[in-house]
Amino acid sequence: MGLQFWRFAVIIFLFHGFCFAEKAPYYTFVKDATSAPLISYYDYIIVGGGTSGCPLAATLSQNATVLLLEKGGSPYENPNITDTGNFATTLLDPSPTSPSQQFISEDGVYNARARVLGGGSVINAGFYTRAKSLVNSSYEWVEKKVAHEPPMLQWQSAVRDGLLEAGVLPYNGFTFDHIYGTKVSGTIFDEDGHRHSAADLLEYADPEKLTVYLRAVVQRIKFTETGRAKPTAHCVTFYDHVGARHRACLNNGGKNEIILSAGAIGSPQLLMLSGVGPANELRKRGIRVVVDQPNVGQGMSDNPMNALFVPSARPVEVSLVQVVGITRFDSYIETASGLSLAPSWAQGLTRDYSSFLNKTDIPSLVTPETVAEAVETVNSYLNGTIRAGVIVEKIMGPRSTGHLRLRTLDADDNPSVTFNYFQEPEDLVRCVQGMRTIIDVLNSRALSKFRYPDVSVQELIDLMVNIPTNLRPRHVVGASISLEQFCRDTVMTIWHYHGGCQVDRVVDRDYKVLGVDGLRVIDGSTFYNSPGTNPQATCMMLGRYMGLRILQDRDRISF
């Protein structure tokens, strides 16, 4: 097997996910937005049914009427998730029914945002770990529904032992807690391989008080200013998938609120479209300024991921991220292994990659014809499984930040996002230290049984530099390439982007939007750093925790 084969094998591996979802009872309160009345009234209107929005809606429904508006569909009815588990077609599918919406940052890095009830927890690799937080009861509420202990098989065990040999100590065993050293963490896949996403947390909801509309694209928040000290949010306008316009408004009452949980892309975008954002930018787009808030869309960060793909001399299990090395220099080392291939998957990848290129209008290093030829080559070598693993590092933070700007006035379109990967030198230092740790793991005794003895680490580095993991320019390949340049050239997303509505800049400590009333933002857009090694547990916890706090304030009762 030559370099060209392994180049494409890496592409397949990195863009393939493991998304086996169990079909759950379809909630009676979940409906298509086409069934929504032209106008309706609720105590709380939540925009975004993702990792924070679902637990928030379930909690608030215990004592108030709640509307949850999700622009995507149901995870329980999507065959790409529940049946094939094929994240490649999910990621690249440009159709309106896709559970993800791809975009390319201005930095030239491929990315995606969730568009499905349950958000990113429906299409991710399932890793579940807490952040450094004392809000244990809210984490536990989440964990009863979604978190499990993963099996530890050959590849994951070898990387765990390799991390210990590389000095990522101590060994902390299985734990949800975020602590220095090497550990086995949780997964949202159960022992039968079924995914449990944030959508499952809606099982906690009061079905008489919660309404969920799917395929509902919220275009604007409406404010009333007459007789008010501040502009006050009172309605949202949304469209269903056939283009009909609907309006949802708050019931009378000073405690009722609109809450944005549309994520780090959607929440700042919707604030801007509604007139809350940098005044000069809004006026250029013809948007009436409600509040000049220059920090909306600022502080956008994406934790850079870099990786080495490791062809294996022996069979490896298909495994998700289960082991993590949490270093004291703030780089996190994770791994996954194996890949099941099928003819239908190969056909889907070729078709959807072509559609992706047609939609983005951005030149790529890989044509659809190349993809088709490479798929055929891969399948001729393999009978179902790629024998390989990938070891990745993600840096904490990061320090580097960018911004989000509107491209159009349509909330269904992606805005322009710049993350400025490695702009701050500290981020690059952490990446280099992380890559050196990965190299130490590869050279460990524990990994030796999987390594081809005639394939050097330098050849693995060259392999990564030679594949189109992004649209950034490549530099010299070979012994002269530095790890610093490797980090810059091969950077990818790990889909943990955040910021845009940060605490003390756009929202206060109660997540209320500064300068207006009746509006909060509760999601990852409020973060300065990505919490833990994977943020999904903390986003779900945040939805539960803030739901309780809001109810306490509403009814003055103790939980």
Side-chain angles (χ1 to χ4, degrees):
M1 299 185 192
L3 179 61
Q4 183 170 348
F5 163 79
W6 287 115
R7 283 179 188 171
F8 190 72
V10 177
I11 297 172
I12 294 174
F13 194 99
L14 292 174
F15 283 95
H16 185 85
F18 308 87
C19 304
F20 308 98
E22 182 176 7
K23 289 201 173 186
Y26 197 74
Y27 303 119
T28 57
F29 49 79
V30 179
K31 307 167 186 178
D32 193 275
T34 53
S35 67
L38 293 180
I39 187 167
S40 54
Y41 295 88
Y42 300 87
D43 297 330
Y44 294 98
I45 299 169
I46 301 171
V47 180
T51 48
S52 293
C54 284
L56 177 63
T59 301
L60 291 177
S61 74
Q62 299 304 312
N63 240 9
T65 59
V66 180
L67 173 64
L68 178 62
L69 297 169
E70 167 53 44
K71 73 185 295 186
S74 167
Y76 309 116
E77 295 184 342
N78 189 316
N80 279 342
I81 300 169
T82 59
D83 297 329
T84 67
N86 193 334
F87 184 60
T89 49
T90 299
L91 180 66
L92 301 176
D93 179 9
S95 74
T97 59
S98 170
S100 70
Q101 183 174 352
Q102 68 273 3
F103 68 96
I104 299 174
S105 74
E106 299 302 315
D107 315 274
V109 175
Y110 301 109
N111 216 316
R113 51 194 292 209
R115 185 170 61 183
V116 62
L117 187 68
S121 65
V122 175
I123 59 173
N124 64 17
F127 195 61
Y128 184 95
T129 182
R130 298 178 179 183
K132 292 180 179 178
S133 174
L134 298 178
V135 196
N136 288 339
S137 61
S138 292
Y139 276 119
E140 290 163 0
W141 181 88
V142 170
E143 288 154 10
K144 288 176 183 177
K145 292 288 185 184
V146 306
H148 306 270
E149 182 175 355
M152 283 293 293
L153 300 179
Q154 297 93 337
W155 176 266
Q156 293 284 334
S157 297
V159 172
R160 174 199 62 199
D161 295 343
L163 284 165
L164 296 175
E165 284 187 52
V168 186
L169 300 168
Y171 178 54
N172 295 307
F174 169 70
T175 179
F176 293 144
D177 293 335
H178 183 79
I179 44 182
Y180 288 121
T182 296
K183 70 165 186 169
V184 178
S185 198
T187 177
I188 60 174
F189 291 88
D190 63 25
E191 60 185 7
D192 296 319
H194 296 143
R195 177 187 292 271
H196 296 270
S197 73
D200 290 20
L201 299 175
L202 293 175
E203 294 172 12
Y204 284 120
D206 183 337
E208 300 299 319
K209 294 180 180 176
L210 175 62
T211 300
V212 179
Y213 287 130
L214 302 177
R215 289 170 282 276
V217 179
V218 177
Q219 291 287 357
R220 299 289 187 278
I221 305 162
K222 300 292 186 180
F223 295 88
T224 181
E225 301 179 52
T226 305
R228 306 275 183 164
K230 299 178 184 177
T232 302
H234 71 106
C235 294
V236 299
T237 301
F238 66 96
Y239 291 83
D240 61 35
H241 69 88
V242 298
R245 180 177 179 270
H246 306 264
R247 195 154 54 112
C249 297
L250 296 176
N251 287 321
N252 291 328
K255 298 293 186 181
N256 300 333
E257 294 177 305
I258 295 170
I259 304 172
L260 301 188
S261 296
I265 305 296
S267 289
Q269 178 188 28
L270 189 55
L271 282 179
M272 290 182 186
L273 289 172
S274 304
V276 180
N280 290 339
E281 293 292 324
L282 300 185
R283 291 191 182 105
K284 288 177 185 177
R285 293 284 177 183
I287 299 171
R288 187 180 76 86
V289 178
V290 175
V291 174
D292 180 11
Q293 175 44 283
N295 290 318
V296 173
Q298 298 299 308
M300 297 295 298
S301 296
D302 188 22
N303 300 82
M305 179 181 78
N306 294 83
L308 287 181
F309 184 80
V310 189
S312 175
R314 59 190 296 174
V316 297
E317 76 271 16
V318 175
S319 71
L320 306 172
V321 179
Q322 299 167 3
V323 168
V324 60
I326 301 173
T327 70
R328 294 188 178 275
F329 51 82
D330 293 326
S331 177
Y332 308 141
I333 314 298
E334 301 173 354
T335 188
S337 64
L339 172 63
S340 297
L341 292 175
S344 60
W345 175 85
Q347 293 168 6
L349 176 63
T350 306
R351 180 192 67 244
D352 294 328
Y353 192 86
S354 177
S355 298
F356 175 70
L357 294 181
N358 291 335
K359 184 167 184 174
T360 59
D361 294 325
I362 294 178
S364 174
L365 301 175
V366 182
T367 66
E369 292 76 19
T370 303
V371 171
E373 181 181 351
V375 167
E376 184 177 348
T377 302
V378 168
N379 281 334
S380 70
Y381 277 113
L382 302 173
N383 185 21
T385 302
I386 286 181
R387 298 194 315 193
V390 63
I391 306 178
V392 309
E393 67 86 28
K394 160 195 167 180
I395 68 168
M396 191 197 80
R399 296 278 189 180
S400 303
T401 64
H403 55 267
L404 177 150
R405 293 196 175 101
L406 297 177
R407 288 186 191 275
T408 73
L409 300 182
D410 187 348
D412 206 25
D413 292 340
N414 289 321
S416 168
V417 186
T418 302
F419 293 117
N420 290 323
Y421 298 101
F422 300 120
Q423 183 181 62
E424 295 296 326
E426 187 175 344
D427 292 340
L428 193 59
V429 169
R430 287 172 174 170
C431 179
V432 169
Q433 290 176 301
M435 292 308 305
R436 285 176 178 155
T437 302
I438 289 177
I439 291 170
D440 288 342
V441 172
L442 290 175
N443 289 330
S444 68
R445 292 188 304 275
L447 259 289
S448 61
K449 59 186 177 184
F450 291 102
R451 290 279 307 280
Y452 282 102
D454 57 343
V455 177
S456 68
V457 169
Q458 185 60 53
E459 288 175 293
L460 298 181
I461 292 174
D462 291 348
L463 172 63
M464 290 301 301
V465 173
N466 269 283
I467 62 171
T469 56
N470 57 44
L471 296 176
R472 295 158 75 89
R474 292 295 191 271
H475 294 80
V476 64
V477 177
S480 59
I481 190 170
S482 65
L483 287 179
E484 287 84 357
Q485 196 63 58
F486 174 87
C487 288
R488 293 190 187 98
D489 286 2
T490 67
V491 63
M492 295 172 281
T493 183
I494 199 169
W495 301 283
H496 296 171
Y497 49 82
H498 52 279
C501 298
Q502 291 168 319
V503 173
D504 291 333
R505 301 184 73 192
V506 175
V507 299
D508 65 16
R509 299 298 175 95
D510 293 317
Y511 297 90
K512 295 180 180 180
V513 176
L514 299 170
V516 301
D517 285 332
L519 182 62
R520 301 191 202 224
V521 180
I522 298 175
D523 60 23
S525 70
T526 63
F527 297 162
Y528 283 82
N529 297 296
S530 179
T533 53
N534 184 300
Q536 71 170 344
T538 301
C539 288
M540 288 188 268
M541 177 279 293
L542 179 65
R544 169 62 173 174
Y545 175 71
M546 284 306 301
L548 292 177
R549 282 186 55 183
I550 291 169
L551 288 182
Q552 281 183 321
D553 183 55
R554 182 184 187 88
D555 298 316
R556 299 299 179 189
I557 59 176
S558 177
F559 287 83

